[in-house]
Amino acid sequence: MTERVYLDEPDTPKLTATVLASRAAGIVLDRTVFYARGGGQPGDTGVLRWAGGETVIIDTVKGEGAEILHQPAPNAVPPPAGTIVEAVIDWQRRHALMRMHTTLHLLCSLIKGAAVTGGSIGAEKSRLDFDLPASPAKEAIEADLNALIAADHKVSIGWVDESVLDTDPGLVRTMSVQPPRGSGRLRLIRIGEADAPVDLQPCGGTHVSRTGEIGPMRVAKIENKGKQNRRIIIAPG
């Protein structure tokens, strides 16, 4: 099992870990700050360093059970099992993805009542697809989005019993991806105050600690992707 330190400490860029396994599919650590690809967010990249060597990590994915696989660059020499390594993510890339991911939650809060049919997070641009019959006004969405960013709302992580999905299914806005069940716990990302959140959703991704970290964003394009599907693409302003 790999302890996912990024779930509670998304601002931690590096840590010391022990190699549990070193296979062709990837390197397994006992704990990691590397986010494993999922939910529209790419896996982290970075480097594993140890006494006498280092391995560049070009992607991070989920393995069997609770394993996380750190995939090395082609022809890289991985550290053998038992090695103590320093695991360091590409922080500039990660922080860009964190800013984008939090922005998508803010965007979701502005498109009220519409289910999310798809999405993708990137450092340069990101998108959400909504089940909407007509496109919202681009200029209005951009202005409202930047107002929420500038308000510097707190972004917090909370854990609740997963049974909340049975009593409050409206927490889930996505049609294509459902929160994983079976662990007994559900991770919630709250933007804003507890008694009146701007947004509250189950999410396993990484986020900034305050919306003011995001910086200006622009709505690059709104596209029609079907009779009931509107794609909103955002990019740094």
Side-chain angles (χ1 to χ4, degrees):
M1 177 177 179
T2 305
E3 179 189 354
R4 293 158 167 79
V5 174
Y6 59 78
L7 288 175
D8 292 304
E9 301 176 29
D11 287 331
T12 300
K14 61 183 179 180
L15 53 66
T16 300
T18 301
V19 177
L20 298 179
S22 193
R23 304 191 292 263
I27 300 160
V28 182
L29 306 178
D30 65 337
R31 57 201 299 261
T32 190
V33 289
F34 281 69
Y35 177 80
R37 187 198 319 156
Q41 182 173 330
D44 275 325
T45 60
V47 64
L48 303 182
R49 297 190 180 102
W50 66 97
E54 70 173 41
T55 295
V56 173
I57 301 301
I58 59 173
D59 200 1
T60 309
V61 300
K62 296 173 183 175
E64 293 293 327
E67 286 184 347
I68 289 181
L69 301 175
H70 304 75
Q71 298 184 328
N75 302 317
V77 178
T83 303
I84 296 175
V85 299
E86 183 182 45
V88 185
I89 59 174
D90 179 341
W91 177 251
Q92 184 174 354
R93 177 178 180 269
R94 156 70 86 76
H95 196 238
L97 293 169
M98 289 166 63
R99 298 197 307 270
M100 280 289 197
H101 200 157
T102 306
T103 302
L104 290 184
H105 278 230
L106 292 174
L107 176 61
C108 198
S109 77
L110 295 174
I111 312 296
K112 302 185 184 301
V116 175
T117 59
S120 178
I121 302 164
E124 301 298 327
K125 65 178 181 179
S126 301
R127 67 170 174 86
L128 281 180
D129 298 346
F130 292 94
D131 183 26
L132 279 174
S135 296
K138 178 174 176 288
E139 294 78 11
I141 291 294
E142 183 174 293
D144 290 345
L145 190 60
N146 280 296
L148 288 174
I149 291 169
D152 198 29
H153 293 288
K154 181 182 178 181
V155 182
S156 57
I157 301 166
W159 294 88
V160 296
D161 192 282
E162 67 180 24
S163 63
V164 72
L165 294 176
D166 301 319
T167 57
D168 190 5
L171 278 174
V172 182
R173 293 285 301 274
T174 55
M175 295 173 65
S176 57
V177 180
Q178 292 293 311
R181 305 285 296 256
S183 68
R185 298 200 308 162
L186 183 69
R187 183 175 182 261
L188 294 178
I189 297 297
R190 175 183 283 106
I191 303 177
E193 299 303 319
D195 56 348
V198 173
D199 188 70
L200 178 65
Q201 289 190 56
C203 182
T206 58
H207 293 268
V208 295
S209 59
R210 303 195 69 90
T211 62
E213 283 184 53
I214 296 170
M217 285 283 174
R218 60 188 175 88
V219 175
K221 187 185 297 185
I222 299 180
E223 299 176 334
N224 294 334
K225 289 295 181 179
K227 188 176 180 180
Q228 283 282 132
N229 204 39
R230 303 293 172 259
R231 174 169 294 175
I232 303 178
I233 301 170
I234 61 169

